[in-house]
Amino acid sequence: MNQLRRKKLLAGILVACVCSAADAADKVPTLSDVLKASGIDVSGYIDVTYSNFDTDSVPAFTSGNITEKNSFNINALDVAVSSLPASGAGGLVEVMAGNDVGFHHSRGWQTNDVDLLQIYTQYAFSGLTLMAGKFLTLAGAEVPQNTTNPNISHSLLYTNAIATTHTGLRGTFAPSDALKFTVGLNNGWDIMKESFTGGPVSNCTAAGSCADGKTIELGVAATPSKQIGLTAALYSGEEFSSLSNQIGNRQLLDVVGTFNVTDALAFVLNVDAADQEKASATGGKAKWNGVAAYANYSFTDKFRGSLRVESFDDKQCFRTFCGTGSQKLQETTVTLGYMIAKGFEVRGEVRMDDSDKQVFTKSGSATDKQTFLGVEALYKF
């Protein structure tokens, strides 16, 4: 009897030890847990796509980051490391590698394979945040990181109407959670070095005069209610024109409105208007404007859809390099996304582009239409 009790006691102790070890293993912190406890966040994503266009070649002014006619693409491996406390000093470094770099990178960064998409330091106190370095533009409804965008391809407005990043100084003041003001001074549109002379587009004229003047940015963001969000951004400063080989002042006004009708349905409207002096091939002012509308709907927690309809008017062919005259572009995009697992989404997309000029080619013949079919696998970590 005593022997039986001893066996039961030993078995109980063994089970308890195994359970304790299992619990301890479950509670072992991951590297991410350790970093977060130290105030450091690490995040990123992997973006792989298949693209198919029905045209012979793909003009960059349409889909922007996706230009392969019939190909599997490593669009991006993006990793961001940051420490951005609500009060005190902090900073962020975001590195992107892949096909998207060729479209998003700034002039003065000497590679098309790996990009420092963002790198800045900041100091925050009493609702005021001061930043110095390279950061994303205030303008637009879309961003370089496709995990945040509802579609696979970028919009005409993102591709042609606005910048991607700016390098300089930025200050934001938030008097409340619902209102934020931004003012900044930077090198210009997608420029790390104003005097950069390499690559397909230079900031300097043949005589050596560079667009080294600075660009002012002003922004306001308001969320008066849970249903409504509004942002506006104004940019003004010197930019170089490769069409006229001259430098002129460029101005952009960008407005984005978000309307959350229900938890499942949201509408987004983005309007842009811009111009640049001494920019056209004849040295006159170039103007461009556009509007993009989005309808995003979640059918279930895992299954969603997005409709994007937009138009872009390049009045002097300055932004789309379409030759003489002007070009008006329109596109309609339908995207479906399914969240297979946490952080892992698969998307399918159909996009149709139309122009009032025959800027596309099919089987060697000029045409004014282009169709895109795409599949995307996105893993966010």
Side-chain angles (χ1 to χ4, degrees), residues 8 29 57 66 77 101 122 191 221 231 266 280 334 352 365:
K8 288 183 178 180
S57 60
I66 301 178
L77 166 61
V101 170
Q122 72 169 44
I191 297 172
T231 67
S280 69
V334 177
M352 293 170 286
S365 299

Side-chain angles (χ1 to χ4, degrees), residues 331-352:
E331 69 94 3
T332 301
T333 300
V334 177
T335 308
L336 297 176
Y338 185 78
M339 192 70 67
I340 294 178
K342 183 180 180 181
F344 184 59
E345 184 182 36
V346 174
R347 300 174 178 179
E349 179 168 299
V350 178
R351 169 175 173 153
M352 293 170 286

Side-chain angles (χ1 to χ4, degrees), residues 59-106:
F61 59 74
T62 54
S63 52
N65 62 321
I66 301 178
T67 57
E68 295 294 321
K69 172 179 164 48
N70 181 16
S71 176
F72 294 100
N73 314 293
I74 309 300
N75 280 58
L77 166 61
D78 183 277
V79 179
V81 181
S82 64
S83 177
L84 302 172
S87 179
L92 179 146
V93 176
E94 183 174 5
V95 180
M96 176 182 285
N99 292 353
D100 285 1
V101 170
F103 180 78
H104 297 312
H105 84 289
S106 295

Side-chain angles (χ1 to χ4, degrees), residues 107-174:
R107 281 167 278 170
W109 180 254
Q110 304 286 341
T111 179
N112 284 338
D113 299 319
V114 181
D115 188 30
L116 283 172
L117 184 64
Q118 295 189 86
I119 177 169
Y120 61 83
T121 61
Q122 72 169 44
Y123 190 82
F125 61 97
S126 302
L128 179 65
T129 302
L130 302 177
M131 303 167 61
K134 183 171 182 270
F135 26 72
L136 301 184
T137 186
L138 301 174
E142 298 183 13
V143 295
Q145 304 90 340
N146 231 23
T147 52
T148 305
N149 300 324
N151 308 107
I152 297 176
S153 62
H154 279 294
S155 67
L156 293 172
L157 266 61
Y158 179 87
T159 302
N160 302 290
I162 66 173
T164 300
T165 61
H166 308 283
T167 300
L169 301 174
R170 175 180 289 177
T172 64
F173 177 65

Side-chain angles (χ1 to χ4, degrees), residues 53-55 57-59 62 351-353 360 369-372:
F53 293 85
D54 66 346
T55 47
S57 60
V58 185
T62 54
R351 169 175 173 153
M352 293 170 286
D353 287 273
F360 309 108
K369 292 178 173 56
Q370 175 179 266
T371 300
F372 164 75

